Amino acid sequence: MQPPHFNNQKIKVLFVCLGNICRSPAAEGIFKKMVADEGLESEIFVDSAGTSGWHKGELPDDRMRMHGKQRGYDFCSRARKFDKDDFDNFDYIIVMDDENYRNVKKLAESEDDAAKIHLMTDFSNKYSRSQVPDPYYGGASGFELVMDLLEDACQNLLKEIKERKA
């Protein structure tokens, strides 16, 4: 696949997890702040979605919002379901785990669509985990681990996008 065309075109990044109430909205919020801190809001668009529609329209999980707030993030997006049209609308589709990778890949209609899908941990530099674990049924330490993993991977994703734009 050719890299996205960056000349005068906004790069669009979509983060995907299962319910779109923990990991993907956290990644969206973290990445949006990093993009804003770099003054790149006019060049990079960020969104999130879930492979299930269970929580459509809901705010992120209260615990995730609290952990984000403690680190200076505002997780305020509303949950939505991933749709195959997202392949046409996004350059990067970043999934949190293998199950969601498979679910998104099933909707890909071309090699170009499939080439847009990446695991979040593909961008990790400090951690050797293969997936971002779902913290939903765990305690505070699980949410903190997810935040650590997402901050690291988002930082490296932004670095890659900036290098490709250069």
Side-chain angles (χ1 to χ4, degrees):
M1 176 186 143
Q2 293 291 323
H5 300 285
F6 294 115
N7 300 340
N8 300 323
Q9 195 173 35
K10 194 175 252 195
I11 302 306
K12 294 171 225 121
V13 179
L14 181 67
F15 296 102
V16 181
C17 68
L18 180 61
N20 194 211
I21 59 166
C22 288
R23 297 169 291 173
S24 59
E28 175 187 359
I30 291 166
F31 199 64
K32 277 183 174 177
K33 185 175 185 318
M34 290 178 178
V35 166
D37 289 349
E38 298 267 343
L40 297 171
E41 302 101 308
S42 65
E43 297 179 49
I44 301 173
F45 174 78
V46 186
D47 196 7
S48 65
T51 56
S52 78
W54 300 329
H55 299 285
K56 185 177 177 185
E58 293 180 22
L59 285 168
D61 183 279
D62 289 340
R63 297 164 295 170
M64 185 56 82
R65 293 173 69 202
M66 180 195 69
H67 285 275
K69 186 175 183 178
Q70 290 172 348
R71 295 189 190 203
Y73 302 111
D74 181 16
F75 302 154
C76 60
S77 61
R78 296 284 178 166
R80 73 174 185 86
K81 187 174 181 187
F82 181 85
D83 185 273
K84 68 179 181 174
D85 291 340
D86 287 322
F87 287 109
D88 295 330
N89 297 323
F90 289 91
D91 302 299
Y92 290 88
I93 298 171
I94 313 294
V95 297
M96 299 298 146
D97 58 43
D98 291 336
E99 180 181 353
N100 287 296
Y101 183 93
R102 286 188 299 272
N103 289 337
V104 169
K105 193 165 184 178
K106 285 179 195 173
L107 297 173
E109 296 179 338
S110 69
E111 286 184 28
D112 284 345
D113 286 354
K116 292 179 179 186
I117 309 166
H118 306 274
L119 280 167
M120 185 85 233
T121 53
D122 289 347
F123 299 97
S124 187
N125 194 25
K126 296 178 187 173
Y127 303 95
S128 60
R129 291 179 169 265
S130 62
Q131 302 181 74
V132 177
D134 190 344
Y136 188 79
Y137 293 106
S141 63
F143 286 90
E144 287 298 313
L145 172 62
V146 167
M147 296 289 296
D148 292 342
L149 295 170
L150 293 177
E151 285 176 335
D152 176 47
C154 283
Q155 185 175 43
N156 291 304
L157 172 60
L158 183 57
K159 181 180 175 185
E160 177 179 304
I161 290 172
K162 286 171 34 181
E163 287 173 358
R164 283 187 159 182
K165 280 185 78 80

